[in-house]
Amino acid sequence: MAGHGRSGVFAGSLAGRVGTAVRSRTHLYSDSPLRALLEQDLGRMAIEDLAVPYQCVAACVERSAEHWFSSGPLVPAILASSAVPGLLPPVRLGGEHFLDGGLVNSIPVGRAVALGARTVFVLQVGRIEQPLTAPRQPWEVASVCFEIARRHRFARDMDDLPDDVTVHVLPTGSDPGRRVTAARQLRYRDFGSARERIDRAYRASRGYLESLDPPTPTDPGR
């Protein structure tokens, strides 16, 4: 979806974004472009029709709780799970409103374990291996607070793992010593280096996975 991002999901002029914000009072963008993109690729597919079991999480506003979509139409579930607060509107389903699942469970290792997984591979996009920096500007405070909350939950879930569960956090290929500033976290429309980051993460993750394979003996007789 990164290839569509600049001209699709987050498209529009500053005046258009201001107009949307004034009308809605809650968000800068319509979710219509994202819905159209998902429907183009996924059609009317249901979650239970997928070849691989799939679930996604969203934050229910009315219940202040995480909600897991494990059946039903796929596109509305993904829309609900990706409704970033302030950027996209809450998604109304079944009389309730839903926002981005990252608010309540950004890296749901615990959910996978509860469903019976004993080997879990985490593909994360939040650069959790990089240290945070303290906010220096008023607009950075919310971003840093969100990062603390989501990283804390992930760390707690990892500490609570049963002894028979193994979790592999796939590397992103980023420099672990490079600090994540709030300003970088807020650059949601910057897709210029997306392909480079994807390729870097692919190479790093592939190398990590290959390192897990047991070495093949060159002389079976030894």
Side-chain angles (χ1 to χ4, degrees), residues 137-158:
Q137 302 293 339
W139 57 83
E140 296 178 340
V141 174
S143 174
V144 172
C145 290
F146 171 73
E147 273 296 303
I148 292 173
R150 81 185 195 93
R151 293 185 187 202
H152 169 75
R153 170 147 191 181
F154 176 60
R156 187 190 66 190
D157 286 350
M158 293 292 284

Side-chain angles (χ1 to χ4, degrees), residues 6 190-198 200:
R6 185 188 298 272
D190 180 14
F191 294 96
S193 60
R195 174 52 58 187
E196 176 188 351
R197 295 198 300 270
I198 291 171
R200 189 167 59 236

Side-chain angles (χ1 to χ4, degrees), residues 176-198:
R178 185 179 184 185
R179 293 184 177 274
V180 179
T181 64
R184 288 182 60 84
Q185 293 287 84
L186 293 172
R187 293 174 187 169
Y188 64 93
R189 300 178 77 226
D190 180 14
F191 294 96
S193 60
R195 174 52 58 187
E196 176 188 351
R197 295 198 300 270
I198 291 171

Side-chain angles (χ1 to χ4, degrees), residues 105-146:
N105 204 338
S106 182
I107 309 176
V109 171
R111 178 70 173 185
V113 173
L115 292 172
R118 288 299 173 264
T119 302
V120 180
F121 294 87
V122 175
L123 177 62
Q124 53 88 20
V125 296
R127 299 183 293 274
I128 59 173
E129 73 277 16
Q130 297 176 338
L132 291 171
T133 57
R136 295 184 176 88
Q137 302 293 339
W139 57 83
E140 296 178 340
V141 174
S143 174
V144 172
C145 290
F146 171 73

Side-chain angles (χ1 to χ4, degrees), residues 30-62:
S30 166
D31 64 2
S32 296
L34 177 57
R35 182 185 296 273
L37 178 62
L38 292 172
E39 290 177 344
Q40 173 184 322
D41 291 339
L42 303 174
R44 298 179 180 274
M45 187 178 297
I47 294 175
E48 52 266 41
D49 294 335
L50 295 171
V52 176
Y54 171 81
Q55 295 187 11
C56 63
V57 64
C60 177
V61 175
E62 286 78 5

